[in-house]
Amino acid sequence: MEKQLKDKLYEYASNTESWLKEYSLQNNLGLADTVAEAMDYSLEAGGKRIRPVLVQAFCKICGGDEKNAAAPACALEMIHTFSLIHDDLPCMDDDDLRRGKPSCHKKFGEACAVLAGDALAIRPFQIIADDKELSAEVKVKLISELSFSSGAQGMIGGQIIDMENEERDNVDEANLRRMYALKTGMLIKTACVMGCITAGADEKQIEAAKEYAHCLGLAFQIIDDILDVTADEAKLGKPTGSDSAENKTTFVTLFGIESARNEAQKLTEKALEILNGFDNNEFLKGLTKYLLERDY
Amino acid sequence: MEKQLKDKLYEYASNTESWLKEYSLQNNLGLADTVAEAMDYSLEAGGKRIRPVLVQAFCKICGGDEKNAAAPACALEMIHTFSLIHDDLPCMDDDDLRRGKPSCHKKFGEACAVLAGDALAIRPFQIIADDKELSAEVKVKLISELSFSSGAQGMIGGQIIDMENEERDNVDEANLRRMYALKTGMLIKTACVMGCITAGADEKQIEAAKEYAHCLGLAFQIIDDILDVTADEAKLGKPTGSDSAENKTTFVTLFGIESARNEAQKLTEKALEILNGFDNNEFLKGLTKYLLERDY
């Protein structure tokens, strides 16, 4: 990775880490119960912080100040983390590991993991509503976008399609695309859109951000499917081969690795083209290429 | 119950029913998946709709138009319903029945019940943010109030205390009061406060509403404890005696039925006194007395 890209990515990711610490109920508000501990445990397990990075990058590229993106960036990361906690539950995917560490219910018990996920689904709306910098109008737009994309019409809707597909013998391409667009694509799209809203961007910019995010999100998911087959387990931080063990339909099972890789490549090129419509697009272009080339 | 009280209670409850239908993802937006069905199933299971009634009543008593209370009233009922769905899960209270019907996970399976609860925890913020009548400032205040009171510092915080108390040999009065104040008291308080905010009430009115709600919420919970021992199972719509079967500490186990009843009586009198500070308080006074005398 180029040094400039790496530095900026590091800056955005560490902004996120320090903001999350400020929003922590344990550290900041002294809430000393198991749910607060479990919330921080799962939030700290980290990952690439791609969504908060995108919020900041789109805020910047639309002429805003990244420091104002603290609430939307962390709100989105909390929603993402809540979905992982509940996804890992025994009645859902029943995963013991998440990012190389025991999943939330393995560490804190199932009831506590349900409640920690619930609390992380609700707190995002509080930190946006209570933010000191953003206007009421911007807050309402952010909350509308976030709740729509994470709810039954968005991410949760994608999860139910994913679950129901497990019972189906045949999952076709249209179904798979819709599931991806909702389950993982929506929060990627919302990351970009929330960045725009925070900066007070116009409708044209928001539409371009959505189109970019559609391409990036789908490419990102296709690469996840490929990595489940090809990646190094230690590097990935979770067991590989789980899709095929569960007989899951993915872009790889539908088209094979090579076609899937080509599709991801095409989507990435389209995403890069859309970024040409923005000034100061170097960081986002570098990030987009990097996300395609990742091996974990 | 007096006819006038009964009519108003019926009006407020049926407002709630028709608003909930308008907000339904199945009916209104044609979302035809199992999660949307499970959300409506649990919302329609009904109950007394006390929280939406309080939102409307406090909106009215503070000089507002009850019709503007649609979003906050239904948002709060959705949060309440989400908490019931997750509370009933096998890893939580493991209840097969809710309001005389199979609980959500019994009807739709555990994974779907987790997701339906999640979706009902998120949609409230969307319906407030997208409301056509309320100002951005009022929406932000409503969302801040609702997310605080339902999250880890509120209702969910109370649920974890309740869960942890099950492991404890000795639960003292202070612990029990704190658990009640959070687990059930917070949403009652928020119902009254959201009604005030919707009407644009001043700080003095909001403070009085909070004090009233504290008394009402605690009295309501004490009566729940008493009914778990004394009520008719068919009327209550759920098995009685569950607290003592689980060795739960309640106001009844701490003080006995008579003292608990006296405490509820005292709290109700205090609540009625606070209502004297508001004009046109007849409905709320009637409701308060009615809630104390309920046998289900």
Side-chain angles (χ1 to χ4, degrees):
Chain A
M1 206 194 308
E2 279 170 42
K3 183 167 181 320
Q4 226 178 348
L5 172 65
K6 199 172 173 175
D7 286 353
K8 199 72 190 166
L9 195 56
Y10 179 80
E11 181 194 323
Y12 284 159
S14 52
N15 283 347
T16 308
E17 302 304 327
S18 66
W19 290 334
L20 284 173
K21 277 199 183 67
E22 282 169 40
Y23 290 124
S24 156
L25 295 171
Q26 277 195 110
N27 297 342
N28 196 266
L29 290 169
L31 192 67
D33 69 26
T34 330
V35 167
E37 201 187 324
M39 290 165 80
D40 283 350
Y41 172 82
S42 289
L43 278 173
E44 283 162 12
K48 295 176 282 294
R49 308 290 192 205
I50 290 303
R51 293 157 198 80
V53 166
L54 286 170
V55 177
Q56 292 170 77
F58 269 89
C59 176
K60 179 79 178 175
I61 211 175
C62 292
D65 180 350
E66 296 116 316
K67 300 290 171 207
N68 290 341
C74 293
L76 190 53
E77 191 67 6
M78 287 177 189
I79 291 281
H80 174 58
T81 305
F82 125 69
S83 79
L84 300 181
I85 295 175
H86 283 189
D87 257 7
D88 286 341
L89 286 171
C91 69
M92 308 281 282
D93 289 349
D94 196 12
D95 274 323
D96 290 354
L97 281 179
R98 169 65 65 183
R99 294 166 179 161
K101 290 166 67 180
S103 49
C104 192
H105 67 275
K106 274 285 154 186
K107 174 91 177 174
F108 294 94
E110 219 176 311
C112 182
V114 169
L115 292 176
D118 292 346
L120 283 170
I122 290 170
R123 180 135 171 85
F125 302 102
Q126 193 188 352
I127 68 175
I128 295 175
D130 293 350
D131 187 84
K132 301 277 180 253
E133 300 298 330
L134 306 168
S135 72
E137 283 74 17
V138 164
K139 289 176 184 182
V140 168
K141 279 187 200 164
L142 290 170
I143 288 168
S144 174
E145 172 68 31
L146 183 62
S147 54
F148 177 83
S149 67
S150 54
Q153 296 153 281
M155 181 185 73
I156 293 175
Q159 284 173 307
I160 193 89
I161 299 177
D162 193 21
M163 238 170 60
E164 289 176 347
N165 283 350
E166 282 171 32
E167 313 294 314
R168 288 191 181 102
D169 284 336
N170 258 311
V171 175
D172 64 17
E173 189 185 337
N175 174 311
L176 192 71
R177 279 184 188 271
R178 181 166 161 72
M179 187 274 281
Y180 279 152
L182 295 175
K183 186 175 172 173
T184 56
M186 280 296 245
L187 289 199
I188 303 274
K189 193 205 74 183
T190 289
C192 304
V193 172
M194 286 174 99
C196 296
I197 294 171
T198 304
D202 60 30
E203 267 313 305
K204 209 183 127 225
Q205 287 176 308
I206 292 178
E207 279 315 305
K210 277 184 189 169
E211 214 188 328
Y212 163 82
H214 169 76
C215 298
L216 182 75
L218 195 51
F220 193 82
Q221 183 59 53
I222 293 172
I223 292 162
D224 257 9
D225 286 355
I226 297 172
L227 290 175
D228 190 73
V229 181
T230 63
D232 178 324
E233 202 159 291
K235 235 176 167 177
L236 201 63
K238 63 182 177 187
T240 56
S242 61
D243 291 342
S244 75
E246 290 161 18
N247 262 323
K248 265 196 158 175
T249 305
T250 71
F251 267 92
V252 173
T253 65
L254 276 184
F255 303 115
I257 289 181
E258 271 323 297
S259 296
R261 227 190 272 279
N262 286 339
E263 174 78 8
Q265 179 69 45
K266 264 198 294 187
L267 287 163
T268 305
E269 278 158 23
K270 175 109 188 278
L272 292 171
E273 208 184 291
I274 297 165
L275 288 178
N276 285 332
F278 290 89
D279 296 332
N280 302 314
N281 56 17
E282 298 76 19
F283 170 71
L284 271 168
K285 282 187 140 181
L287 179 71
T288 307
K289 286 180 213 153
Y290 163 69
L291 288 175
L292 177 72
E293 288 153 10
R294 74 196 160 98
D295 59 356
Y296 66 97
Chain B
M1 207 193 311
E2 279 170 42
K3 186 169 178 318
Q4 223 177 349
L5 172 67
K6 199 172 174 174
D7 286 351
K8 198 74 191 164
L9 195 56
Y10 180 80
E11 180 195 325
Y12 283 159
S14 52
N15 283 348
T16 308
E17 302 304 327
S18 66
W19 291 334
L20 284 173
K21 277 200 183 65
E22 283 170 40
Y23 289 125
S24 156
L25 295 171
Q26 280 196 110
N27 297 342
N28 195 265
L29 291 168
L31 191 69
D33 68 25
T34 330
V35 167
E37 201 186 323
M39 289 164 80
D40 283 350
Y41 172 82
S42 289
L43 278 173
E44 283 162 12
K48 294 173 284 291
R49 308 287 192 208
I50 289 303
R51 292 158 199 79
V53 166
L54 285 170
V55 177
Q56 293 169 78
F58 268 88
C59 177
K60 179 79 178 172
I61 211 176
C62 292
D65 180 351
E66 296 115 314
K67 298 290 171 209
N68 290 340
C74 293
L76 190 54
E77 192 67 4
M78 287 177 189
I79 290 281
H80 173 59
T81 305
F82 125 70
S83 80
L84 299 180
I85 294 175
H86 282 189
D87 256 7
D88 286 342
L89 287 171
C91 69
M92 308 278 284
D93 288 350
D94 196 12
D95 273 324
D96 291 355
L97 281 178
R98 168 66 64 184
R99 292 163 179 163
K101 290 169 65 181
S103 49
C104 192
H105 66 275
K106 275 284 153 190
K107 175 94 178 172
F108 294 94
E110 219 177 311
C112 183
V114 169
L115 292 175
D118 291 345
L120 283 170
I122 289 171
R123 181 135 171 83
F125 302 102
Q126 193 188 351
I127 67 174
I128 294 174
D130 293 351
D131 187 86
K132 301 277 181 257
E133 299 299 330
L134 306 168
S135 71
E137 282 73 19
V138 164
K139 289 175 183 182
V140 168
K141 277 187 201 167
L142 290 170
I143 289 167
S144 174
E145 173 68 30
L146 183 61
S147 53
F148 176 84
S149 68
S150 53
Q153 295 153 280
M155 180 186 72
I156 293 175
Q159 283 173 306
I160 193 88
I161 298 177
D162 193 20
M163 240 170 59
E164 290 177 345
N165 282 350
E166 283 171 30
E167 312 295 314
R168 287 193 181 101
D169 283 338
N170 257 312
V171 175
D172 64 15
E173 188 185 338
N175 174 311
L176 192 72
R177 280 184 187 270
R178 180 165 165 72
M179 188 274 283
Y180 280 152
L182 294 175
K183 186 175 171 169
T184 55
M186 280 297 246
L187 290 199
I188 302 273
K189 191 204 76 183
T190 289
C192 304
V193 171
M194 284 175 99
C196 295
I197 294 172
T198 304
D202 61 29
E203 269 311 305
K204 209 183 127 225
Q205 285 175 309
I206 292 178
E207 278 314 305
K210 280 184 188 169
E211 214 188 331
Y212 164 82
H214 168 78
C215 298
L216 181 75
L218 194 53
F220 193 82
Q221 184 58 54
I222 293 173
I223 293 160
D224 257 9
D225 286 354
I226 296 171
L227 289 175
D228 189 73
V229 181
T230 62
D232 178 322
E233 204 160 292
K235 235 177 168 175
L236 199 63
K238 61 182 179 187
T240 55
S242 60
D243 292 340
S244 75
E246 292 161 17
N247 262 323
K248 265 195 158 176
T249 306
T250 70
F251 266 93
V252 173
T253 65
L254 276 184
F255 303 114
I257 290 181
E258 271 321 298
S259 294
R261 227 190 273 277
N262 286 340
E263 175 76 9
Q265 180 69 45
K266 264 199 294 185
L267 286 162
T268 304
E269 277 159 23
K270 175 109 188 276
L272 292 170
E273 207 185 291
I274 297 165
L275 289 176
N276 285 333
F278 291 86
D279 295 334
N280 302 315
N281 56 17
E282 298 75 18
F283 170 71
L284 271 169
K285 283 186 140 180
L287 178 70
T288 307
K289 284 182 214 152
Y290 162 69
L291 288 175
L292 177 72
E293 289 154 10
R294 74 196 160 99
D295 58 357
Y296 66 98

